[in-house]
Amino acid sequence: MLDESLLDAPEALARADRRDLLRGAAEAGARVRTAVRHAAEAGIGGLAPEGRPRAVLVAGPGTAASGVADLIGALAGAAAPVTRIRPTGVAPAPGALRWALPGWAGSVDLLLIATADGSEPGLALLAEQAYRRGCTVVAVAPTRSPLREAVDGVHGLVVPMAAAPHGEYDAEVSAAGPGTLWALLTPLLALLDRVGLVTATPEDLQKVADRLDRTAERCGPAIATYSNPAKTLAAELADSLPLLWTEGEAAGPVGRRFAAVLSELAGRPALTAQLPEALPSHGTLLAGDFAAGADPDDFFRDRVEEGETLRARVVLLRDRPGGLSAYPAARELALGHDTPVSELEPEEGGELEAVAELLAITDFAAVYLSLASAPQP
């Protein structure tokens, strides 16, 4: 059960936030600025590539690396195929994971490694494999890490991961934290801007940092629920099964990351799909056991010892309004089944700014759901 009273009690939220999740969300803009500086100091701005890579491969552990690969794929679009190299192994521990290049990878391809840990032997082995194949290797990793030495040893480029401005927060959640995502993603965006796959100039990234800061102000713990989009979304998703319907290429990764952090941070299930395909794929859920009006025939049964039943709630996410849209059909389908709808749209601005705002709001919402749903001491 969600304790909605906790959402409007900043001091109680601070006491409940033993993992510093709110601080991690609030510091995302600062992490972008630090990452831009690290990228410049590593020499990314001075690179003069001879041409675009044939393909981009992305490797790394956990939610952050998955989000980085997904976002890069969406932002690059048709400029080059982006493939995430998924790890294998016997356990989700740094020493147990292994990564392997696809058979076709070679000298015209670019390998990006993103890790908030840097101690994974499997990533060091991957860098060595890429060197033997002739792939260019670029990594973002903590300053003092074995991976940094391994990538240096194969003549790759390493950008130090931007640390949290006031010290690292709980390592157990750092891979899912919003600050970690931006610390890993930002230098890679700067690199891909230089090779012509995305548009992410230093000025664009400064705008991203500014948008993250403004959104953090709107979504901060001191802002009341009625005017706080993240707290409002958290309250709306209480005891609900979120159906995250996205529209726009860049909104897709936002929805998938939101589902991932809801699961990892808040222990909440969520389903995601892109419009218009979401309408047939999720439509049956609106009329089945998860429908808002669903109720067993035995109306007079004893419900005292029963758990709350999840009811579907549609969350509509799109990066930038305009053009042909399935939003009207999505609203009509949901409301026609008495299913409540939440909508998130960013303010005007570039594609990166829109993505940053949506990520910030959904990250804050996942944090609030985690804090207000956790048992209090």
Side-chain angles (χ1 to χ4, degrees):
M1 294 291 291
L2 182 78
D3 182 1
E4 292 193 35
S5 65
L6 189 68
L7 294 178
D8 287 322
E11 294 181 358
L13 278 173
R15 289 193 299 271
D17 191 12
R18 291 181 289 274
R19 298 178 292 175
D20 284 334
L21 294 172
L22 286 171
R23 181 163 69 85
E27 291 175 347
R31 299 287 281 271
V32 169
R33 293 186 182 88
T34 303
V36 170
R37 186 176 72 251
H38 286 181
E41 292 171 350
I44 284 180
L47 294 177
E50 297 178 356
R52 293 180 176 181
R54 177 183 63 178
V56 178
L57 302 162
V58 185
T63 303
S66 176
V68 166
D70 205 1
L71 286 163
I72 287 176
L75 294 169
V82 177
T83 301
R84 184 192 177 202
I85 304 176
R86 299 185 180 276
T88 59
V90 297
L97 296 177
R98 291 292 182 269
W99 290 261
L101 291 175
W104 48 263
S107 59
V108 291
D109 302 313
L110 172 62
L111 171 63
L112 305 178
I113 299 176
T115 173
D117 187 323
S119 66
E120 303 91 349
L123 289 176
L125 293 173
L126 178 68
E128 294 172 3
Q129 183 186 14
Y131 176 67
R132 292 194 298 270
R133 296 269 198 98
C135 294
T136 301
V137 182
V138 178
V140 182
T143 302
R144 297 179 181 85
S145 64
L147 180 64
R148 181 184 180 92
E149 297 178 5
V151 175
D152 284 338
V154 298
H155 308 291
L157 174 65
V158 182
V159 181
M161 176 183 164
H166 303 293
E168 290 295 336
Y169 55 97
D170 193 333
E172 292 181 0
V173 300
S174 63
T180 301
L181 172 73
W182 286 105
L184 296 174
L185 175 64
T186 303
L188 299 180
L189 291 177
L191 171 72
L192 295 175
D193 177 77
R194 295 299 301 169
V195 300
L197 296 184
V198 302
T199 301
T201 65
E203 293 75 18
D204 293 328
L205 295 174
Q206 179 60 47
K207 290 179 181 178
V208 166
D210 293 342
R211 180 69 67 94
L212 288 169
D213 285 346
R214 290 199 303 273
T215 308
E217 292 175 359
R218 293 168 54 209
C219 297
I223 306 301
T225 298
Y226 68 85
S227 59
N228 186 320
K231 288 184 179 179
T232 298
L233 181 58
E236 290 173 346
L237 295 183
D239 306 317
S240 296
L241 173 65
L243 304 181
L244 310 176
W245 295 355
T246 65
E247 186 170 74
E249 288 301 318
V254 176
R256 289 186 285 274
R257 173 176 167 81
F258 190 25
V261 295
L262 279 173
S263 174
E264 188 165 339
L265 297 184
R268 299 291 187 114
L271 300 175
T272 181
Q274 292 188 250
L275 290 170
E277 289 87 353
L279 303 184
S281 63
H282 286 179
T284 306
L285 292 171
L286 305 184
D289 292 339
F290 296 103
D295 197 23
D297 294 334
D298 185 7
F299 179 80
F300 296 102
R301 75 192 188 284
D302 185 2
R303 292 177 170 83
V304 173
E305 296 184 357
E306 292 186 7
E308 290 292 323
T309 301
L310 290 179
R311 299 302 185 201
R313 184 181 189 98
V314 170
V315 180
L316 297 177
L317 291 149
R318 60 176 167 181
D319 46 17
R320 287 176 294 181
L324 291 173
S325 175
Y327 256 40
R331 289 193 201 96
E332 182 179 355
L333 177 64
L335 297 177
H337 288 89
D338 297 321
T339 301
V341 178
S342 301
E343 297 188 35
L344 284 182
E345 290 184 7
E347 299 174 358
E348 292 185 2
E351 184 177 38
L352 275 176
E353 293 177 82
V355 169
E357 182 176 338
L358 291 176
L359 283 170
I361 293 174
T362 52
D363 278 332
F364 266 103
V367 169
Y368 285 127
L369 268 171
S370 173
L371 299 180
S373 302
Q376 301 304 312

